[in-house]
Amino acid sequence: MMELIAQKQQEREEREKRERIEQEKERRRQGQELSVIRQKLQEQEMQKAVEERRREKQEERLARERVRDKIARDKAERARRYGGETSDPISPPAETPVQTTTLSPSSPTQEPPTKKEYDQCRIQVRLLDGTALSQTFRAREQLAAVRLYVELNWPDGPIGPFNLMTSFPRRVFTEEDMEKPLQELGLVPSAVLIVARK
């Protein structure tokens, strides 16, 4: 009877040992499966992040192109409406001397020569980062042509709304000034404008 009890106890211990071994194997297998699943999820998240970043860059590029297209259309529209050109090649300001009236030899006095007039002016625009843009405009072109030129040639595009101003005498040009000719604003034959944030 004692031997039978001992045998049963031994069988039970061996069975529990085998069960523990099987449970440990199952636990390890499940741990490996979870590790694989976790790794796949991480890879999917990384791939998703890469795709999202690629999509954002694409949207930024398209948005930048739309802005450039809009500026180009505005430029063409202004040129059509006002007959001005904002993309003249850079060249020194051309002087148009005004003929003076010469009196006859018999006249005892002679009038002083009339002040010279210019039909072009050279504008230098200093950007926020210290770099400068230079361009030659017609004296009768509006200040808006200068602002449009800055928007089109600003590296990476303008960072936001900005004003144009002169340092001496200090003057910040308004939206109303944008419709005035450069000659009327005293920017002929040459001037330096500074970009300032609004």
Side-chain angles (χ1 to χ4, degrees):
M1 190 66 173
M2 295 297 294
E3 291 179 358
L4 182 60
I5 293 174
Q7 183 178 358
K8 293 292 184 182
Q9 184 176 359
Q10 184 178 1
E11 291 177 355
R12 184 176 68 254
E13 291 176 355
E14 290 179 355
R15 182 173 64 253
E16 292 176 352
K17 183 179 180 179
R18 288 196 300 270
E19 290 176 354
R20 286 196 300 270
I21 293 174
E22 292 297 328
Q23 290 175 356
E24 179 65 19
K25 290 181 179 179
E26 180 67 17
R27 187 185 64 80
R28 292 183 180 182
R29 184 182 62 80
Q30 291 179 354
Q32 291 176 352
E33 291 179 354
L34 289 175
S35 178
V36 172
I37 292 174
R38 189 179 299 110
Q39 183 177 357
K40 288 183 178 179
L41 289 175
Q42 291 177 351
E43 292 176 354
Q44 291 175 359
E45 290 295 330
M46 291 179 60
Q47 184 66 23
K48 183 179 179 181
V50 171
E51 293 295 333
E52 182 69 15
R53 182 56 182 163
R54 184 181 295 113
R55 184 182 63 81
E56 290 177 356
K57 287 185 176 181
Q58 178 72 7
E59 291 179 353
E60 291 175 0
R61 184 181 63 81
L62 293 177
R64 192 178 298 112
E65 290 180 356
R66 286 194 296 268
V67 171
R68 293 184 183 275
D69 291 342
K70 184 178 184 303
I71 293 175
R73 289 195 301 270
D74 292 344
K75 176 183 176 183
E77 178 64 18
R78 287 180 182 273
R80 184 184 65 80
R81 288 172 58 189
Y82 302 109
E85 297 180 4
T86 60
S87 58
D88 295 339
I90 298 176
S91 59
E95 298 183 2
T96 305
V98 178
Q99 294 183 353
T100 58
T101 304
T102 304
L103 301 179
S104 61
S106 60
S107 176
T109 59
Q110 185 175 5
E111 296 181 0
T114 307
K115 184 179 178 180
K116 292 182 180 180
E117 293 184 0
Y118 299 88
D119 62 0
Q120 290 187 345
C121 63
R122 185 178 181 84
I123 301 294
Q124 184 184 78
V125 182
R126 294 180 183 174
L127 304 180
L128 296 173
D129 60 358
T131 59
L133 298 174
S134 298
Q135 180 63 296
T136 301
F137 299 88
R138 294 183 180 180
R140 294 185 299 275
E141 281 192 82
Q142 298 175 343
L143 183 59
V146 179
R147 181 171 64 181
L148 183 61
Y149 173 79
V150 174
E151 292 174 348
L152 289 171
N153 293 275
W154 195 316
D156 298 328
I159 60 175
F162 63 89
N163 288 326
L164 294 176
M165 58 179 290
T166 56
S167 59
F168 185 80
R170 181 177 175 81
R171 177 181 180 183
V172 179
F173 294 102
T174 63
E175 289 299 324
E176 183 179 352
D177 293 329
M178 293 297 158
E179 303 301 325
K180 296 179 181 180
L182 301 175
Q183 192 173 31
E184 181 179 336
L185 296 173
L187 302 178
V188 177
S190 64
V192 176
L193 300 180
I194 301 173
V195 171
R197 297 176 187 271
K198 280 190 175 182

